[in-house]
Amino acid sequence: MKKVLLFSLSASLFLMGCGSSKSVSTPISNQTSTNTTSNKSTYWQQHVDYKMEIDMDVNNFQYQGKQNLVYTNNSPDVLKKVFYHLYFNAFQPGSEMDARLQSIVDPDSRMVTEVNGEKQSRISTLKANEIGYINVSDLKQNGTAVKHETVGTILEVTLNKPIQPGESVTFDMVFNAQVPVQIRRSGRNNAEGVALSMTQWYPKLAEYDFEGWHADPYIGREFHGVWGDFDLKLAIDKDYVVGGTGYLQPNPEMNGNKKTLHFKAPNVHDFTWAADPDYIHDTVQVPNGPVLNFFYKKDLPAENLENWKNLQPKTVEMMQYFSENIGKYPYDQYSVIQGGDGGMEYAMCTLITGKRKFGSLMGVTAHELAHTWFQFLLATNEAKHEWMDEGFTSYISDRAMDYITKKNADNPSLGAYRGYDYLAKSGKEKPQTTHADRFETNMAYSIAAYNKGSVFLSQLGYIIGEENLKQTLKQYFIDWAFKHPTPNDFIRVAEKVSNLELEWYLTDWTMTTNTIDYGVKSINGNTVTLQRIGEMPMPIDLEVTYVDGSTESIYIPLQMMRGEKPTNATIIKDWAWAHTTYSFDAKKEVKSVEIDTKNLMADINKENNKK
């Protein structure tokens, strides 16, 4: 591990960014025109390249911006409008985010304050010099001024000339902005004193795909973006250390008390940075992998400083685990940065809070780093399919932590099962197909996304076999990295790997709130009768104990799967879902029977699983 010394401006300027200075090349084949899973595919996705020049004033937290954007319409559709996200506009009194904080019964505790015993939105109290905003003062389409209107956090643009299929157009924009007081994810001077957490900070073109435009207002949840290349020139106070997305180019320009840093980021769908004059910047090289950068405040308590040092070799192990078990990390750097308001994933980096015990620091880093695969590279729409983002990340990060800490838990996702069980019995569950902003409570959203999403994968291993699940995750990455997969794209990969029909699983688990409940109804000599009480179908793993003390593992396939998982158990006849009971004759007189001894099936009533 090498500590980067920042005592010499001339010697260390390029190290103040995100990584080593490198020529920029696309990290993996862009694959924007064909889907590798099909010989004759109609898959397409849009492409956008950004060039931005930003002049940041660290004294008043305002910045001036110029943006040159080249947008390529790879769709078969003629586009008459385009839309930009202006995320910082959410941090203003009266915004939709503010309104949602005031109406939801369990608002995010980071975003509210208590006044006279009642919770009040922190956004509602922001003064003019504390709010966030992005004001677009000029916008041109191919050199000609174009009509645009700011509507909350969305810029609506009516084009002078429609964009034809296959056509590329250039938009030139001038804008000014103010960084809000830290409320959620983005902001200035967070609770730990980090000066600038610059996430979702620029006018960002909305995604257009086979479902149409995704110009969702910023109300509280996460993001969706267009793949492309980013080129950013950032003018900022010369004493500030900057880390985030992309590769810092050599030879920064100096102009009085400011330096201009030049970053390039190939084939990403977002660009994030953080800056502070008191960052320590350490680097460590992953063998046959990227450079890891760590940015954290030098005034942290001694215990926390030690934790950040100890985190670094563990992050190497995490990077290696995810690269081996999902797919190789394709970029040349990754940065772990103290900032933000908890933990949040971005392109080539994460922002996390730094005043944590070591276990917490390692855990949040594992989760956010895992998001590189299940949010960033496999870029699902987080507003519509948040469970694929948060749930898949929770599943694999739990296994990474189990592997690195050598706990060897029988089920690393056990906590996720408990969370799901609570939600399923709470009466507040909504289907996972619910838009992320439309859950009635943050509790229901969080458990559906994180816990139920994690159980989706863990339980899939129960259904198709653990080795098939491992291969499915790797094949999913091969087929869908640098694209925008949907739930159906994932389940089709699982079907092809396992040679089983799984549409029933995707439907019941994600599109309904049907629950699983199987029980042992009776034992009569060597005849065993089971019953299905819940509405959701499942295959059954059964452990039979005979009167003579011997045991036998039995597997009952679900008929609608049209096959069986690999197993050493005795396979008996299929169970057709519509039949609520199922009987079979065992080899010998039966003493006891237990369903799912490994507790990998999310059965909401374990009491009737054994007789």
Side-chain angles (χ1 to χ4, degrees):
M1 188 183 307
K2 174 185 175 184
K3 180 178 178 181
V4 178
L5 301 179
L6 301 177
F7 58 87
S8 169
L9 181 64
S10 60
S12 62
L13 261 173
F14 92 93
L15 290 175
M16 291 182 180
C18 313
S20 58
S21 171
K22 302 191 178 191
S23 59
V24 177
S25 58
T26 301
I28 283 181
S29 174
N30 203 353
Q31 303 180 32
T32 57
S33 59
T34 59
N35 177 356
T36 57
T37 61
S38 173
N39 291 327
K40 293 182 179 180
S41 175
T42 57
Y43 177 83
W44 53 266
Q45 67 178 10
Q46 307 294 64
H47 185 85
V48 61
D49 292 327
Y50 291 86
K51 288 185 178 179
M52 291 187 283
E53 296 181 3
I54 304 297
D55 189 353
M56 168 61 73
D57 187 332
V58 298
N59 296 309
N60 62 13
F61 303 103
Q62 295 177 358
Y63 53 102
Q64 308 295 318
K66 294 180 180 178
Q67 183 187 88
N68 173 270
L69 186 154
V70 179
Y71 183 54
T72 301
N73 179 17
N74 290 317
S75 82
D77 306 324
V78 177
L79 304 181
K80 298 180 180 179
K81 283 189 171 185
V82 299
F83 302 88
Y84 289 77
H85 295 282
L86 307 176
Y87 290 108
F88 272 7
N89 289 358
F91 302 104
Q92 300 175 10
S95 71
E96 286 192 73
M97 184 181 284
D98 182 27
R100 183 61 169 160
L101 282 170
Q102 297 183 51
S103 65
I104 197 167
V105 297
D106 59 343
D108 188 323
S109 61
R110 292 165 293 192
M111 303 173 71
V112 295
T113 187
E114 193 165 298
V115 178
N116 297 325
E118 294 186 359
K119 293 178 180 178
Q120 181 177 358
S121 162
R122 289 177 58 208
I123 295 176
S124 68
T125 65
L126 292 177
K127 301 179 177 63
N129 64 344
E130 297 175 328
I131 66 171
Y133 61 74
I134 300 176
N135 294 330
V136 177
S137 57
D138 187 66
L139 181 62
K140 293 183 173 64
Q141 175 189 355
N142 291 336
T144 302
V146 64
K147 182 180 178 182
H148 57 90
E149 180 183 4
T150 297
V151 181
T153 61
I154 298 296
L155 184 74
E156 301 177 353
V157 183
T158 303
L159 301 174
N160 297 326
K161 183 180 179 182
I163 307 173
Q164 300 298 318
E167 182 182 6
S168 294
V169 300
T170 299
F171 294 102
D172 288 294
M173 178 187 291
V174 178
F175 66 95
N176 63 85
Q178 179 170 281
V179 186
V181 167
Q182 181 80 39
I183 300 289
R184 187 70 180 98
R185 301 188 178 100
S186 304
R188 69 202 205 212
N189 298 330
N190 78 345
E192 296 182 348
V194 175
L196 292 167
S197 297
M198 299 297 288
T199 70
Q200 309 298 335
W201 57 274
Y202 59 93
K204 181 178 179 181
L205 196 71
E207 179 65 279
Y208 181 87
D209 61 18
F210 71 99
E211 295 178 313
W213 284 104
H214 296 277
D216 293 341
Y218 186 26
I219 294 175
R221 301 305 178 198
E222 298 178 32
F223 313 105
H224 195 33
V226 190
W227 288 99
D229 297 340
F230 283 70
D231 186 307
L232 170 66
K233 291 184 177 179
L234 171 64
I236 193 169
D237 185 287
K238 65 180 179 59
D239 294 327
Y240 274 59
V241 182
V242 180
T245 305
Y247 308 122
L248 184 56
Q249 304 303 293
N251 304 318
E253 297 178 8
M254 299 301 300
N255 184 12
N257 290 325
K258 279 192 171 181
K259 62 189 176 189
T260 298
L261 304 176
H262 186 189
F263 295 91
K264 291 186 178 182
N267 207 21
V268 296
H269 56 81
D270 194 15
F271 195 105
T272 291
W273 57 279
D276 193 275
D278 295 323
Y279 270 150
I280 295 171
H281 177 194
D282 294 341
T283 67
V284 59
Q285 177 69 54
V286 178
N288 300 312
V291 172
L292 299 180
N293 297 272
F294 297 86
F295 296 87
Y296 54 101
K297 296 272 286 185
K298 65 184 180 183
D299 60 357
L300 283 170
E303 178 186 357
N304 298 124
L305 289 172
E306 182 180 2
N307 290 343
W308 274 86
K309 295 294 185 184
N310 293 336
L311 173 68
Q312 296 170 27
K314 295 298 184 182
T315 309
V316 171
E317 293 184 63
M318 295 173 196
M319 177 64 74
Q320 292 173 317
Y321 182 90
F322 297 136
S323 289
E324 180 179 345
N325 287 277
I326 312 172
K328 185 173 175 58
Y329 181 78
Y331 302 103
D332 292 327
Q333 77 90 12
Y334 184 86
S335 297
V336 181
I337 307 169
Q338 183 186 358
D341 62 352
M344 182 64 191
E345 71 281 358
Y346 300 102
M348 299 191 205
C349 66
T350 180
L351 269 61
I352 62 174
T353 46
K355 290 183 178 179
R356 295 172 177 263
K357 294 185 181 297
F358 182 66
S360 174
L361 189 65
M362 188 165 68
V364 72
T365 302
H367 183 87
E368 305 308 338
L369 177 57
H371 268 303
T372 289
W373 285 264
F374 290 129
Q375 180 273 343
F376 192 74
L377 295 169
L378 291 159
T380 51
N381 183 342
E382 296 177 270
K384 293 189 65 176
H385 312 304
E386 62 279 356
W387 61 273
M388 295 181 72
D389 164 36
E390 296 296 353
F392 286 21
T393 292
S394 296
Y395 170 86
I396 201 68
S397 61
D398 283 345
R399 275 150 183 75
M401 285 289 287
D402 184 70
Y403 174 79
I404 292 167
T405 59
K406 298 178 174 58
K407 289 185 178 179
N408 299 314
D410 291 334
N411 182 1
S413 299
L414 184 59
Y417 280 80
R418 290 172 178 161
Y420 163 70
D421 189 72
Y422 171 81
L423 178 63
K425 296 173 180 176
S426 71
K428 298 180 180 180
E429 184 182 9
K430 299 186 87 170
Q432 287 178 306
T433 49
T434 304
H435 190 284
D437 283 325
R438 249 74 96 203
F439 283 84
E440 293 178 8
T441 64
N442 280 317
M443 180 275 290
Y445 161 81
S446 296
I447 296 178
Y450 290 79
N451 300 118
K452 191 176 180 181
S454 176
V455 174
F456 174 89
L457 279 189
S458 182
Q459 190 169 244
L460 182 61
Y462 166 84
I463 294 168
I464 68 176
E466 289 298 327
E467 289 304 314
N468 277 336
L469 176 60
K470 290 177 182 178
Q471 184 56 42
T472 293
L473 291 176
K474 292 179 179 180
Q475 192 63 47
Y476 178 48
F477 182 81
I478 291 169
D479 290 350
W480 288 101
F482 294 95
K483 301 180 181 179
H484 294 295
T486 66
N488 191 65
D489 296 321
F490 174 79
I491 211 67
R492 290 294 292 127
V493 174
E495 287 184 328
K496 291 173 185 178
V497 168
S498 67
N499 199 30
L500 297 169
E501 184 174 327
L502 300 169
E503 184 243 2
W504 61 272
Y505 181 56
L506 181 68
T507 298
D508 273 70
W509 191 254
T510 70
M511 302 178 192
T512 78
T513 56
N514 289 346
T515 55
I516 302 165
D517 184 9
Y518 283 83
V520 181
K521 186 174 184 179
S522 65
I523 300 172
N524 186 8
N526 67 339
T527 300
V528 176
T529 299
L530 309 177
Q531 63 181 144
R532 175 183 60 76
I533 301 144
E535 291 300 310
M536 183 166 172
M538 289 293 283
I540 299 298
D541 284 350
L542 200 66
E543 190 75 14
V544 176
T545 300
Y546 296 109
V547 171
D548 63 10
S550 62
T551 61
E552 183 179 13
S553 296
I554 291 177
Y555 173 60
I556 306 172
L558 178 66
Q559 190 175 88
M560 66 178 72
M561 285 172 59
R562 310 303 169 191
E564 303 85 30
K565 70 178 177 182
T567 181
N568 293 322
T570 301
I571 302 174
I572 60 177
K573 64 180 179 179
D574 293 357
W575 187 343
W577 170 82
H579 295 284
T580 58
T581 61
Y582 175 100
S583 297
F584 70 95
D585 290 330
K587 295 176 181 177
K588 297 177 281 189
E589 187 176 359
V590 175
K591 178 182 179 182
S592 63
V593 173
E594 183 173 0
I595 296 171
D596 183 31
T597 58
K598 294 183 178 179
N599 293 314
L600 292 174
M601 187 169 70
D603 192 312
I604 64 165
N605 181 14
K606 300 289 187 182
E607 297 298 320
N608 59 13
N609 283 23
K610 186 175 182 179
K611 184 180 286 288

Short mmCIF file of all heavy atoms in Angstrom, two decimals, residues 112-151:
data_model
loop_
_atom_site.label_atom_id
_atom_site.label_comp_id
_atom_site.label_asym_id
_atom_site.label_seq_id
_atom_site.Cartn_x
_atom_site.Cartn_y
_atom_site.Cartn_z
N VAL A 112 -35.19 15.01 7.86
CA VAL A 112 -36.16 15.74 8.68
C VAL A 112 -35.50 16.20 9.97
O VAL A 112 -34.45 15.70 10.38
CB VAL A 112 -37.39 14.87 9.00
CG1 VAL A 112 -38.18 14.53 7.75
CG2 VAL A 112 -36.99 13.60 9.76
N THR A 113 -36.11 17.16 10.59
CA THR A 113 -35.69 17.63 11.90
C THR A 113 -36.93 17.70 12.78
O THR A 113 -38.06 17.74 12.28
CB THR A 113 -35.02 19.01 11.81
OG1 THR A 113 -34.48 19.37 13.07
CG2 THR A 113 -36.00 20.08 11.35
N GLU A 114 -36.75 17.70 14.07
CA GLU A 114 -37.89 17.72 14.98
C GLU A 114 -38.11 19.14 15.50
O GLU A 114 -37.19 19.77 16.03
CB GLU A 114 -37.67 16.75 16.14
CG GLU A 114 -38.92 16.48 16.95
CD GLU A 114 -38.79 15.28 17.86
OE1 GLU A 114 -38.58 14.15 17.35
OE2 GLU A 114 -38.87 15.48 19.08
N VAL A 115 -39.32 19.64 15.32
CA VAL A 115 -39.70 20.97 15.79
C VAL A 115 -40.96 20.82 16.64
O VAL A 115 -41.99 20.34 16.16
CB VAL A 115 -39.97 21.92 14.60
CG1 VAL A 115 -40.40 23.29 15.12
CG2 VAL A 115 -38.72 22.06 13.73
N ASN A 116 -40.86 21.21 17.91
CA ASN A 116 -41.99 21.11 18.84
C ASN A 116 -42.59 19.70 18.86
O ASN A 116 -43.81 19.51 18.87
CB ASN A 116 -43.06 22.13 18.49
CG ASN A 116 -42.57 23.55 18.62
OD1 ASN A 116 -41.78 23.86 19.52
ND2 ASN A 116 -43.04 24.44 17.74
N GLY A 117 -41.69 18.70 18.82
CA GLY A 117 -42.13 17.32 18.91
C GLY A 117 -42.64 16.73 17.61
O GLY A 117 -43.05 15.57 17.58
N GLU A 118 -42.62 17.51 16.53
CA GLU A 118 -43.10 17.01 15.24
C GLU A 118 -41.96 17.03 14.22
O GLU A 118 -41.11 17.92 14.25
CB GLU A 118 -44.27 17.86 14.72
CG GLU A 118 -45.52 17.76 15.58
CD GLU A 118 -46.69 18.49 14.95
OE1 GLU A 118 -46.51 19.08 13.85
OE2 GLU A 118 -47.78 18.48 15.55
N LYS A 119 -41.98 16.06 13.31
CA LYS A 119 -40.97 15.98 12.27
C LYS A 119 -41.26 16.99 11.17
O LYS A 119 -42.39 17.12 10.72
CB LYS A 119 -40.91 14.56 11.70
CG LYS A 119 -40.40 13.53 12.70
CD LYS A 119 -40.40 12.14 12.10
CE LYS A 119 -39.88 11.12 13.12
NZ LYS A 119 -39.90 9.74 12.60
N GLN A 120 -40.21 17.70 10.78
CA GLN A 120 -40.36 18.72 9.75
C GLN A 120 -39.30 18.50 8.68
O GLN A 120 -38.13 18.22 8.98
CB GLN A 120 -40.21 20.11 10.36
CG GLN A 120 -40.37 21.25 9.36
CD GLN A 120 -40.27 22.61 10.04
OE1 GLN A 120 -40.12 22.70 11.25
NE2 GLN A 120 -40.37 23.67 9.26
N SER A 121 -39.68 18.63 7.43
CA SER A 121 -38.75 18.49 6.32
C SER A 121 -37.63 19.52 6.43
O SER A 121 -37.88 20.72 6.58
CB SER A 121 -39.49 18.68 4.99
OG SER A 121 -38.58 18.96 3.95
N ARG A 122 -36.38 19.05 6.38
CA ARG A 122 -35.25 19.99 6.39
C ARG A 122 -35.24 20.85 5.14
O ARG A 122 -34.76 21.99 5.17
CB ARG A 122 -33.94 19.21 6.50
CG ARG A 122 -33.70 18.56 7.86
CD ARG A 122 -32.42 17.75 7.86
NE ARG A 122 -31.27 18.59 7.51
CZ ARG A 122 -30.18 18.14 6.92
NH1 ARG A 122 -30.07 16.86 6.58
NH2 ARG A 122 -29.17 18.95 6.65
N ILE A 123 -35.77 20.32 4.05
CA ILE A 123 -35.80 21.11 2.81
C ILE A 123 -36.68 22.34 2.98
O ILE A 123 -36.38 23.43 2.46
CB ILE A 123 -36.29 20.25 1.63
CG1 ILE A 123 -35.31 19.12 1.35
CG2 ILE A 123 -36.48 21.10 0.37
CD1 ILE A 123 -35.76 18.16 0.27
N SER A 124 -37.77 22.20 3.73
CA SER A 124 -38.72 23.30 3.88
C SER A 124 -38.12 24.50 4.59
O SER A 124 -38.65 25.62 4.48
CB SER A 124 -39.96 22.82 4.64
OG SER A 124 -39.64 22.54 6.00
N THR A 125 -37.02 24.32 5.30
CA THR A 125 -36.43 25.41 6.07
C THR A 125 -35.20 26.03 5.39
O THR A 125 -34.58 26.93 5.95
CB THR A 125 -36.01 24.91 7.47
OG1 THR A 125 -34.97 23.94 7.33
CG2 THR A 125 -37.19 24.29 8.19
N LEU A 126 -34.84 25.55 4.21
CA LEU A 126 -33.64 26.06 3.53
C LEU A 126 -33.81 27.51 3.11
O LEU A 126 -34.85 27.90 2.56
CB LEU A 126 -33.32 25.21 2.31
CG LEU A 126 -32.87 23.77 2.57
CD1 LEU A 126 -32.66 23.03 1.24
CD2 LEU A 126 -31.59 23.72 3.41
N LYS A 127 -32.77 28.30 3.35
CA LYS A 127 -32.76 29.70 2.92
C LYS A 127 -32.25 29.78 1.48
O LYS A 127 -31.76 28.79 0.91
CB LYS A 127 -31.88 30.53 3.85
CG LYS A 127 -32.32 30.50 5.31
CD LYS A 127 -31.38 31.34 6.16
CE LYS A 127 -31.81 31.39 7.62
NZ LYS A 127 -31.78 30.06 8.26
N ALA A 128 -32.32 30.98 0.90
CA ALA A 128 -31.96 31.16 -0.50
C ALA A 128 -30.52 30.76 -0.78
O ALA A 128 -30.22 30.22 -1.85
CB ALA A 128 -32.19 32.62 -0.92
N ASN A 129 -29.63 31.01 0.16
CA ASN A 129 -28.23 30.66 -0.06
C ASN A 129 -27.90 29.23 0.35
O ASN A 129 -26.75 28.81 0.33
CB ASN A 129 -27.31 31.63 0.69
CG ASN A 129 -27.47 31.53 2.19
OD1 ASN A 129 -28.43 30.98 2.69
ND2 ASN A 129 -26.51 32.10 2.91
N GLU A 130 -28.95 28.45 0.73
CA GLU A 130 -28.75 27.06 1.15
C GLU A 130 -29.41 26.05 0.20
O GLU A 130 -29.10 24.86 0.26
CB GLU A 130 -29.34 26.85 2.55
CG GLU A 130 -28.67 27.66 3.64
CD GLU A 130 -29.37 27.50 4.98
OE1 GLU A 130 -30.61 27.32 4.99
OE2 GLU A 130 -28.67 27.56 6.01
N ILE A 131 -30.31 26.53 -0.64
CA ILE A 131 -31.02 25.61 -1.53
C ILE A 131 -30.09 25.11 -2.63
O ILE A 131 -28.98 25.63 -2.82
CB ILE A 131 -32.25 26.29 -2.17
CG1 ILE A 131 -31.81 27.44 -3.11
CG2 ILE A 131 -33.21 26.80 -1.10
CD1 ILE A 131 -32.95 28.00 -3.95
N GLY A 132 -30.56 24.11 -3.35
CA GLY A 132 -29.88 23.70 -4.56
C GLY A 132 -30.65 24.14 -5.77
O GLY A 132 -31.89 24.25 -5.73
N TYR A 133 -29.94 24.41 -6.83
CA TYR A 133 -30.63 24.71 -8.09
C TYR A 133 -29.68 24.50 -9.26
O TYR A 133 -28.46 24.54 -9.12
CB TYR A 133 -31.19 26.14 -8.13
CG TYR A 133 -30.18 27.26 -8.00
CD1 TYR A 133 -29.34 27.60 -9.06
CD2 TYR A 133 -30.09 28.00 -6.83
CE1 TYR A 133 -28.42 28.65 -8.95
CE2 TYR A 133 -29.17 29.05 -6.70
CZ TYR A 133 -28.34 29.36 -7.77
OH TYR A 133 -27.43 30.39 -7.65
N ILE A 134 -30.29 24.23 -10.41
CA ILE A 134 -29.59 24.26 -11.70
C ILE A 134 -30.45 25.10 -12.63
O ILE A 134 -31.59 24.72 -12.94
CB ILE A 134 -29.38 22.85 -12.29
CG1 ILE A 134 -28.55 21.97 -11.34
CG2 ILE A 134 -28.72 22.93 -13.65
CD1 ILE A 134 -28.38 20.52 -11.82
N ASN A 135 -29.94 26.24 -13.03
CA ASN A 135 -30.66 27.15 -13.92
C ASN A 135 -30.03 27.10 -15.30
O ASN A 135 -28.84 27.40 -15.47
CB ASN A 135 -30.60 28.59 -13.40
CG ASN A 135 -31.35 28.75 -12.08
OD1 ASN A 135 -32.33 28.04 -11.83
ND2 ASN A 135 -30.92 29.68 -11.25
N VAL A 136 -30.82 26.74 -16.29
CA VAL A 136 -30.34 26.69 -17.68
C VAL A 136 -30.64 28.02 -18.34
O VAL A 136 -31.81 28.41 -18.47
CB VAL A 136 -31.01 25.54 -18.45
CG1 VAL A 136 -30.57 25.55 -19.91
CG2 VAL A 136 -30.68 24.20 -17.80
N SER A 137 -29.60 28.73 -18.71
CA SER A 137 -29.79 30.07 -19.29
C SER A 137 -29.78 30.06 -20.81
O SER A 137 -30.31 30.99 -21.43
CB SER A 137 -28.72 31.03 -18.77
OG SER A 137 -27.42 30.53 -19.06
N ASP A 138 -29.19 29.05 -21.40
CA ASP A 138 -29.11 29.02 -22.87
C ASP A 138 -29.01 27.57 -23.32
O ASP A 138 -28.26 26.78 -22.73
CB ASP A 138 -27.89 29.81 -23.36
CG ASP A 138 -27.86 29.94 -24.87
OD1 ASP A 138 -28.75 30.61 -25.43
OD2 ASP A 138 -26.97 29.34 -25.50
N LEU A 139 -29.75 27.22 -24.36
CA LEU A 139 -29.69 25.86 -24.91
C LEU A 139 -29.87 25.93 -26.42
O LEU A 139 -30.81 26.56 -26.91
CB LEU A 139 -30.78 24.97 -24.29
CG LEU A 139 -30.83 23.52 -24.76
CD1 LEU A 139 -29.53 22.79 -24.42
CD2 LEU A 139 -32.02 22.79 -24.16
N LYS A 140 -28.98 25.28 -27.14
CA LYS A 140 -29.03 25.26 -28.61
C LYS A 140 -29.03 23.83 -29.11
O LYS A 140 -28.36 22.95 -28.55
CB LYS A 140 -27.83 26.01 -29.20
CG LYS A 140 -27.83 27.51 -28.94
CD LYS A 140 -26.64 28.17 -29.64
CE LYS A 140 -26.70 29.69 -29.55
NZ LYS A 140 -26.59 30.17 -28.16
N GLN A 141 -29.80 23.60 -30.17
CA GLN A 141 -29.80 22.33 -30.89
C GLN A 141 -29.12 22.55 -32.24
O GLN A 141 -29.60 23.32 -33.07
CB GLN A 141 -31.23 21.82 -31.11
CG GLN A 141 -31.32 20.55 -31.95
CD GLN A 141 -32.75 20.21 -32.32
OE1 GLN A 141 -33.71 20.85 -31.90
NE2 GLN A 141 -32.91 19.19 -33.15
N ASN A 142 -27.97 21.91 -32.41
CA ASN A 142 -27.19 22.09 -33.64
C ASN A 142 -26.97 23.57 -33.96
O ASN A 142 -27.11 24.01 -35.11
CB ASN A 142 -27.85 21.38 -34.82
CG ASN A 142 -27.79 19.87 -34.69
OD1 ASN A 142 -26.92 19.32 -34.02
ND2 ASN A 142 -28.72 19.17 -35.34
N GLY A 143 -26.66 24.34 -32.91
CA GLY A 143 -26.31 25.75 -33.09
C GLY A 143 -27.46 26.72 -33.07
O GLY A 143 -27.25 27.94 -33.11
N THR A 144 -28.71 26.25 -33.00
CA THR A 144 -29.88 27.12 -33.02
C THR A 144 -30.62 27.03 -31.70
O THR A 144 -30.85 25.93 -31.19
CB THR A 144 -30.83 26.72 -34.17
OG1 THR A 144 -30.12 26.79 -35.41
CG2 THR A 144 -32.04 27.65 -34.22
N ALA A 145 -30.99 28.19 -31.15
CA ALA A 145 -31.68 28.22 -29.86
C ALA A 145 -32.93 27.36 -29.92
O ALA A 145 -33.66 27.35 -30.92
CB ALA A 145 -32.04 29.65 -29.49
N VAL A 146 -33.19 26.63 -28.82
CA VAL A 146 -34.30 25.71 -28.79
C VAL A 146 -35.16 26.01 -27.56
O VAL A 146 -34.65 26.45 -26.51
CB VAL A 146 -33.78 24.25 -28.76
CG1 VAL A 146 -33.00 23.95 -27.49
CG2 VAL A 146 -34.90 23.25 -28.95
N LYS A 147 -36.46 25.81 -27.68
CA LYS A 147 -37.40 26.11 -26.60
C LYS A 147 -37.24 25.11 -25.47
O LYS A 147 -37.19 23.90 -25.70
CB LYS A 147 -38.83 26.07 -27.14
CG LYS A 147 -39.89 26.42 -26.10
CD LYS A 147 -41.29 26.34 -26.70
CE LYS A 147 -42.36 26.64 -25.66
NZ LYS A 147 -43.73 26.52 -26.23
N HIS A 148 -37.16 25.63 -24.24
CA HIS A 148 -37.03 24.74 -23.09
C HIS A 148 -37.73 25.36 -21.89
O HIS A 148 -37.85 26.58 -21.76
CB HIS A 148 -35.55 24.49 -22.77
CG HIS A 148 -34.75 25.72 -22.51
ND1 HIS A 148 -34.59 26.28 -21.26
CD2 HIS A 148 -34.05 26.53 -23.37
CE1 HIS A 148 -33.83 27.35 -21.35
NE2 HIS A 148 -33.50 27.54 -22.61
N GLU A 149 -38.22 24.50 -21.00
CA GLU A 149 -38.93 24.95 -19.81
C GLU A 149 -38.54 24.07 -18.63
O GLU A 149 -38.53 22.84 -18.74
CB GLU A 149 -40.44 24.87 -20.02
CG GLU A 149 -41.25 25.33 -18.81
CD GLU A 149 -42.75 25.18 -19.00
OE1 GLU A 149 -43.16 24.65 -20.06
OE2 GLU A 149 -43.51 25.57 -18.09
N THR A 150 -38.22 24.69 -17.51
CA THR A 150 -37.90 23.95 -16.29
C THR A 150 -39.18 23.68 -15.52
O THR A 150 -39.92 24.60 -15.16
CB THR A 150 -36.92 24.74 -15.41
OG1 THR A 150 -35.68 24.89 -16.11
CG2 THR A 150 -36.66 24.00 -14.11
N VAL A 151 -39.45 22.39 -15.29
CA VAL A 151 -40.63 21.96 -14.54
C VAL A 151 -40.14 21.11 -13.37
O VAL A 151 -39.87 19.92 -13.51
CB VAL A 151 -41.60 21.16 -15.42
CG1 VAL A 151 -42.83 20.76 -14.61
CG2 VAL A 151 -42.00 21.97 -16.64
#
